[in-house]
């Protein structure tokens, strides 16, 4: 029995792909439970999980939450136009292509070497309408035509931190410009106690959008641990009840805050401007152990 486990470990190690990319040391590690599934790590920090046989499978909890947003942005199956700021292994773009065929997507991923690695080792479905640009997220967003996108997803991390210039109200002005009327914005945010970054991001988005909802693990919201939170915003009522139901039924259940409760959670934090913006906090080393 021990020999069998050892053989599996040796096989997994032999199949791991390790390559230096612009953002650090990239590792593609095979999933022992899924024959054609892989996890992407950058400098030891988990970034993405992809199942080439089942692109609708979302393994990471924050990606499932963003998947719920993708599911609710339009009626089931309807094609949409989406912009993904941050690509990783292109997990969410693959998910959207699988669940909403004929959708048109733009992915902005600054790390050109990472894009080449992912394209080579985890090829996209040739029928998917996914265009990948290797440039800075804000520069790539600036090239999106006015009112083009039904959905903008921000999931950008450099060294496990969101760059400062993607946290400001000025950045959100360009998000709004790119969104179609009724379009939806979703951001993956990471923070830990005392949650100053998360509160500041909520205040910033609330300064630009009429409707907000936050999806997160209750322990993160209570400031008990470092983790991810998904912030969703638009200018029309959000499907909060359905989002709440989906988040609560996840393997790692999440809570949805909105309205007065979310405003109270923000605690009077001020909106962030370009002049005052800083990178999101670095996660403690224990997060990736």
């Amino acid at each position: 029995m021990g020999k069998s486990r050892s053989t599996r470990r040796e096989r997994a190690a032999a199949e791991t792909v390790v390559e230096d990319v612009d953002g650090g040391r990239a590792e593609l590690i095979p999933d022992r439970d899924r024959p054609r599934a892989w996890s992407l790590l950058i400098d030891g920090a988990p970034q993405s999980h992809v199942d080439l046989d089942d692109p609708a499978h979302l393994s990471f909890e924050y990606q499932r939450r963003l998947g719920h947003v993708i599911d609710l942005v339009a009626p089931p199956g309807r094609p949409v136009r989406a912009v993904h700021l941050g690509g990783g292994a292109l997990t969410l773009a693959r998910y959207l292509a699988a669940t909403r065929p004929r959708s048109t997507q733009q992915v902005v991923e600054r790390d050109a070497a990472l894009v080449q690695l992912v394209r080579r080792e985890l090829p996209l479905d040739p029928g998917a309408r996914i265009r990948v640009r290797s440039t800075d997220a804000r520069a790539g967003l600036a090239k999106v035509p006015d009112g083009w996108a039904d959905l903008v997803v921000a999931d950008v991390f450099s060294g496990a931190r969101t760059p400062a210039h993607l946290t400001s109200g000025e950045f959100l002005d360009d998000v709004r410009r790119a969104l179609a009327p009724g379009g939806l914005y979703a951001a993956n945010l990471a923070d830990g106690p005392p949650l100053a970054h998360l509160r500041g991001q909520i205040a910033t988005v609330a300064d630009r959008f009429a409707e907000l909802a936050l999806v997160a693990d209750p322990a993160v919201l209570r400031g008990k641990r470092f983790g991810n939170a998904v912030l969703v915003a638009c200018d029309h009522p959000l499907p909060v009840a359905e989002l709440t139901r989906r988040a609560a039924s996840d393997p790692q259940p999440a809570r949805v805050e909105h309205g007065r409760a979310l405003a109270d959670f923000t605690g009077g934090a001020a909106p962030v401007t370009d002049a005052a913006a800083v990178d999101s906090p670095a996660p403690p080393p224990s997060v990736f152990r």
Side-chain angles (χ1 to χ4, degrees):
M1 189 72 171
K3 183 177 180 181
S4 175
R5 286 198 298 268
S6 176
T7 301
R8 288 199 298 271
R9 285 197 297 270
E10 290 169 0
R11 184 182 302 118
E15 294 173 352
T16 295
V17 178
V18 181
E19 195 166 304
D20 288 331
V21 295
D22 300 338
R25 176 63 58 91
E27 297 174 85
L28 287 173
I29 301 176
D31 186 332
R32 289 179 294 176
D33 297 321
R34 289 176 169 263
R36 298 184 68 226
W38 301 77
S39 291
L40 168 67
L41 281 67
I42 304 291
D43 288 339
Q47 301 288 325
S48 304
H49 180 277
V50 169
D51 188 336
L52 296 177
D53 289 333
D54 183 11
H57 173 76
L58 298 175
S59 179
F60 291 0
E61 61 182 53
Y62 86 85
Q63 290 182 330
R64 282 195 297 273
R65 292 164 191 166
L66 287 169
H68 298 326
V69 175
I70 290 171
D71 292 343
L72 297 173
V73 72
R78 176 183 293 178
V80 299
R81 294 185 294 193
V83 176
H84 302 267
L85 304 178
L90 308 177
T91 303
L92 291 171
R94 298 173 200 263
Y95 177 85
L96 195 152
T99 58
R100 296 184 177 277
R102 303 181 309 282
S103 292
T104 304
Q105 303 184 70
Q106 296 187 35
V107 178
V108 184
E109 171 55 62
R110 182 173 186 168
D111 195 328
L114 176 61
V115 171
Q116 292 176 357
L117 171 64
V118 169
R119 283 188 178 277
R120 185 183 75 237
E121 300 293 337
L122 308 175
L124 287 166
D125 179 346
R129 300 176 181 179
I130 301 173
R131 178 183 180 184
V132 183
R133 290 179 172 174
S134 296
T135 187
D136 172 77
R138 194 154 159 180
L141 178 63
K143 295 181 180 179
V144 175
D146 292 1
W148 183 85
D150 301 303
L151 173 68
V152 173
V153 177
D155 183 18
V156 185
F157 288 86
S158 176
R161 304 176 72 178
T162 301
H165 70 296
L166 305 178
T167 68
S168 69
E170 291 89 338
F171 162 68
L172 290 174
D173 288 338
D174 213 22
V175 170
R176 287 188 60 90
R177 178 199 59 76
L179 281 172
L184 193 150
Y185 171 65
N188 177 32
L189 308 172
D191 200 7
L195 299 177
H197 172 72
L198 180 58
R199 298 181 204 278
Q201 287 303 286
I202 297 169
T204 306
V205 174
D207 196 49
R208 291 326 199 257
F209 288 91
E211 298 288 335
L212 280 72
L214 183 72
V215 190
D217 185 305
V220 173
L221 293 177
R222 291 196 300 269
K224 298 295 185 182
R225 69 172 181 87
F226 193 99
N228 296 83
V230 169
L231 185 58
V232 188
C234 64
D235 284 330
H236 61 81
L238 290 164
V240 172
E242 181 61 18
L243 186 60
T244 300
R245 185 190 69 78
R246 291 173 182 242
S249 64
D250 278 341
Q252 292 88 24
R255 197 167 81 214
V256 176
E257 296 285 8
H258 66 100
R260 173 52 58 187
L262 184 57
D264 291 344
F265 174 81
T266 306
V272 176
T273 65
D274 273 343
V278 297
D279 294 351
S280 68
S286 60
V287 169
F288 302 128
R289 288 177 185 167

